[in-house]
């Protein structure tokens, strides 16, 4: 029970663009990577809040397909840092029944060591029935749709699928996480009002919540504030009431 939140109308899935680490560090005269490091406490406090709310699904954007454009040092830091996060937190999350998954391109530039750690973490927590924590890593919404188009094209070429039978449900099944419900609420920190290639298909009807808080300062109370705001909205999905 969280004050001011109706437990019957908690979103099934909240997704977060964790942004503003570099600016947080700059404000303190620190290197950008210190901002990423400070984001770890923000993430795990938010996870605590999500568990307290009884969220079924929490998805966080940790590294985009466009983040490879950053300086090599920062990219390297982010690879090691994200691997370290898994090592530091997975046993605790596992003990608490959290299922951890990753969405994004596995092939390509992600170091093999990091991929292995991701696979181990998924295998370890696969049977958990608590919240699903999905980390979008080397994830791009356009890349996801391209990958889905490729797999559908392969089915067609193999004679297993008629083009006319491709509908929205079939496209969804070709996405990275077909069993994941669409996010009801997408939060972005740091005052930027854009999607930046996050969950393009899945967020078609998501409620968007933008906050000026920089990611390293984000805590469970900010999550609760976003959910309270969400509960005041009327979702219409193109229809009228
Ligand atoms: C978000 O913080 C983390 C990643 C994109 C990996 P940024 O690093 O984008 O921080 P700003 O936006 O430069 O402040
Ligand atoms: C989005 O943030 C990606 C992640 C949070 C991982 P960016 O900082 O990369 O987005 P832009 O460049 O400001 O759009
Ligand atoms: Mg940013």
């Amino acid at each position: 029970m969280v004050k001011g939140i109706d437990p019957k109308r908690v979103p099934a899935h909240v997704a977060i663009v964790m942004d503003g680490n570099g600016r947080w560090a700059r404000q303190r005269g620190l290197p950008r990577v210190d901002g990423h490091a400070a984001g770890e406490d923000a993430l795990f406090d938010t996870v605590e809040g999500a568990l307290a709310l009884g969220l079924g699904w929490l998805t966080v954007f940790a590294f985009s397909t466009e983040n490879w454009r950053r300086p090599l040092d920062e990219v390297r830091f982010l690879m090691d840092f994200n691997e370290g996060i898994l090592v530091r937190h997975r046993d605790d999350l596992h003990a608490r029944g959290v299922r951890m998954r990753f969405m994004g391109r596995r092939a390509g530039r992600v170091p093999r060591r990091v991929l292995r750690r991701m696979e181990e973490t998924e295998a370890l927590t696969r049977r958990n029935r608590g919240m699903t924590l999905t980390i979008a890593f080397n994830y791009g919404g356009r890349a996801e749709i391209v990958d889905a188009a490729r797999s559908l094209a392969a089915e067609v070429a193999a004679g297993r699928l008629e083009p006319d039978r491709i509908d929205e449900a079939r496209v969804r099944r070709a996405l990275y996480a077909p069993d994941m419900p669409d996010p009801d609420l997408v939060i972005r920190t740091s005052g930027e009002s854009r999607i930046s290639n996050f969950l393009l298909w899945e967020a078609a009807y998501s409620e968007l919540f933008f906050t000026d808080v920089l990611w390293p300062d984000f805590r469970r109370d900010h999550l609760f504030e976003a959910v309270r705001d969400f509960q005041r909205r009327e979702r219409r999905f193109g229809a009228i009431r």
Side-chain angles (χ1 to χ4, degrees), residues 38-50:
E40 183 168 346
D41 285 348
L43 175 58
F44 290 96
D45 201 75
T46 302
V47 167
E48 293 299 328

PDB file of all heavy atoms in Angstrom, residues 38-50:
ATOM      1  N   ALA A  38      26.325   6.891 -10.145  1.00  0.00           N
ATOM      2  CA  ALA A  38      25.338   7.368  -9.157  1.00  0.00           C
ATOM      3  C   ALA A  38      23.928   6.908  -9.525  1.00  0.00           C
ATOM      4  O   ALA A  38      23.023   6.910  -8.683  1.00  0.00           O
ATOM      5  CB  ALA A  38      25.391   8.891  -9.060  1.00  0.00           C
ATOM      6  N   GLY A  39      23.724   6.511 -10.754  1.00  0.00           N
ATOM      7  CA  GLY A  39      22.409   6.030 -11.177  1.00  0.00           C
ATOM      8  C   GLY A  39      22.056   4.666 -10.600  1.00  0.00           C
ATOM      9  O   GLY A  39      20.897   4.262 -10.614  1.00  0.00           O
ATOM     10  N   GLU A  40      23.041   3.977 -10.071  1.00  0.00           N
ATOM     11  CA  GLU A  40      22.770   2.635  -9.533  1.00  0.00           C
ATOM     12  C   GLU A  40      21.821   2.704  -8.330  1.00  0.00           C
ATOM     13  O   GLU A  40      20.862   1.923  -8.239  1.00  0.00           O
ATOM     14  CB  GLU A  40      24.094   1.964  -9.141  1.00  0.00           C
ATOM     15  CG  GLU A  40      23.919   0.534  -8.645  1.00  0.00           C
ATOM     16  CD  GLU A  40      25.251  -0.205  -8.530  1.00  0.00           C
ATOM     17  OE1 GLU A  40      26.267   0.283  -9.069  1.00  0.00           O
ATOM     18  OE2 GLU A  40      25.269  -1.275  -7.892  1.00  0.00           O
ATOM     19  N   ASP A  41      22.072   3.626  -7.425  1.00  0.00           N
ATOM     20  CA  ASP A  41      21.183   3.760  -6.263  1.00  0.00           C
ATOM     21  C   ASP A  41      19.778   4.161  -6.700  1.00  0.00           C
ATOM     22  O   ASP A  41      18.785   3.710  -6.127  1.00  0.00           O
ATOM     23  CB  ASP A  41      21.719   4.820  -5.284  1.00  0.00           C
ATOM     24  CG  ASP A  41      22.918   4.307  -4.495  1.00  0.00           C
ATOM     25  OD1 ASP A  41      23.179   3.087  -4.535  1.00  0.00           O
ATOM     26  OD2 ASP A  41      23.593   5.135  -3.853  1.00  0.00           O
ATOM     27  N   ALA A  42      19.724   5.016  -7.704  1.00  0.00           N
ATOM     28  CA  ALA A  42      18.414   5.444  -8.213  1.00  0.00           C
ATOM     29  C   ALA A  42      17.643   4.237  -8.736  1.00  0.00           C
ATOM     30  O   ALA A  42      16.452   4.063  -8.446  1.00  0.00           O
ATOM     31  CB  ALA A  42      18.599   6.481  -9.319  1.00  0.00           C
ATOM     32  N   LEU A  43      18.340   3.391  -9.484  1.00  0.00           N
ATOM     33  CA  LEU A  43      17.671   2.232 -10.078  1.00  0.00           C
ATOM     34  C   LEU A  43      17.137   1.298  -8.994  1.00  0.00           C
ATOM     35  O   LEU A  43      15.979   0.875  -9.045  1.00  0.00           O
ATOM     36  CB  LEU A  43      18.632   1.489 -11.016  1.00  0.00           C
ATOM     37  CG  LEU A  43      18.084   0.197 -11.614  1.00  0.00           C
ATOM     38  CD1 LEU A  43      16.796   0.442 -12.396  1.00  0.00           C
ATOM     39  CD2 LEU A  43      19.128  -0.436 -12.542  1.00  0.00           C
ATOM     40  N   PHE A  44      17.972   1.019  -7.995  1.00  0.00           N
ATOM     41  CA  PHE A  44      17.521   0.008  -7.031  1.00  0.00           C
ATOM     42  C   PHE A  44      16.533   0.574  -6.016  1.00  0.00           C
ATOM     43  O   PHE A  44      15.696  -0.167  -5.499  1.00  0.00           O
ATOM     44  CB  PHE A  44      18.706  -0.775  -6.472  1.00  0.00           C
ATOM     45  CG  PHE A  44      19.249  -1.640  -7.590  1.00  0.00           C
ATOM     46  CD1 PHE A  44      20.325  -1.223  -8.361  1.00  0.00           C
ATOM     47  CD2 PHE A  44      18.584  -2.800  -7.945  1.00  0.00           C
ATOM     48  CE1 PHE A  44      20.750  -1.975  -9.459  1.00  0.00           C
ATOM     49  CE2 PHE A  44      19.002  -3.557  -9.033  1.00  0.00           C
ATOM     50  CZ  PHE A  44      20.092  -3.148  -9.791  1.00  0.00           C
ATOM     51  N   ASP A  45      16.567   1.865  -5.797  1.00  0.00           N
ATOM     52  CA  ASP A  45      15.490   2.449  -4.992  1.00  0.00           C
ATOM     53  C   ASP A  45      14.170   2.403  -5.773  1.00  0.00           C
ATOM     54  O   ASP A  45      13.101   2.125  -5.205  1.00  0.00           O
ATOM     55  CB  ASP A  45      15.825   3.894  -4.589  1.00  0.00           C
ATOM     56  CG  ASP A  45      15.018   4.322  -3.377  1.00  0.00           C
ATOM     57  OD1 ASP A  45      15.350   3.884  -2.265  1.00  0.00           O
ATOM     58  OD2 ASP A  45      14.011   5.042  -3.571  1.00  0.00           O
ATOM     59  N   THR A  46      14.260   2.644  -7.064  1.00  0.00           N
ATOM     60  CA  THR A  46      13.065   2.581  -7.913  1.00  0.00           C
ATOM     61  C   THR A  46      12.512   1.156  -7.958  1.00  0.00           C
ATOM     62  O   THR A  46      11.295   0.955  -7.918  1.00  0.00           O
ATOM     63  CB  THR A  46      13.412   3.090  -9.323  1.00  0.00           C
ATOM     64  OG1 THR A  46      13.913   4.423  -9.204  1.00  0.00           O
ATOM     65  CG2 THR A  46      12.203   3.076 -10.238  1.00  0.00           C
ATOM     66  N   VAL A  47      13.412   0.176  -8.027  1.00  0.00           N
ATOM     67  CA  VAL A  47      12.973  -1.226  -8.008  1.00  0.00           C
ATOM     68  C   VAL A  47      12.240  -1.522  -6.695  1.00  0.00           C
ATOM     69  O   VAL A  47      11.184  -2.167  -6.689  1.00  0.00           O
ATOM     70  CB  VAL A  47      14.177  -2.177  -8.218  1.00  0.00           C
ATOM     71  CG1 VAL A  47      13.806  -3.624  -7.897  1.00  0.00           C
ATOM     72  CG2 VAL A  47      14.694  -2.073  -9.657  1.00  0.00           C
ATOM     73  N   GLU A  48      12.776  -1.027  -5.580  1.00  0.00           N
ATOM     74  CA  GLU A  48      12.085  -1.212  -4.291  1.00  0.00           C
ATOM     75  C   GLU A  48      10.680  -0.622  -4.349  1.00  0.00           C
ATOM     76  O   GLU A  48       9.718  -1.219  -3.874  1.00  0.00           O
ATOM     77  CB  GLU A  48      12.831  -0.499  -3.150  1.00  0.00           C
ATOM     78  CG  GLU A  48      14.182  -1.074  -2.797  1.00  0.00           C
ATOM     79  CD  GLU A  48      14.119  -2.516  -2.321  1.00  0.00           C
ATOM     80  OE1 GLU A  48      13.112  -2.906  -1.707  1.00  0.00           O
ATOM     81  OE2 GLU A  48      15.080  -3.248  -2.588  1.00  0.00           O
ATOM     82  N   GLY A  49      10.585   0.563  -4.910  1.00  0.00           N
ATOM     83  CA  GLY A  49       9.285   1.219  -5.024  1.00  0.00           C
ATOM     84  C   GLY A  49       8.339   0.413  -5.896  1.00  0.00           C
ATOM     85  O   GLY A  49       7.147   0.272  -5.584  1.00  0.00           O
ATOM     86  N   ALA A  50       8.865  -0.127  -6.983  1.00  0.00           N
ATOM     87  CA  ALA A  50       8.037  -0.915  -7.895  1.00  0.00           C
ATOM     88  C   ALA A  50       7.526  -2.168  -7.193  1.00  0.00           C
ATOM     89  O   ALA A  50       6.365  -2.562  -7.352  1.00  0.00           O
ATOM     90  CB  ALA A  50       8.843  -1.281  -9.143  1.00  0.00           C
TER      91      ALA A  50
END
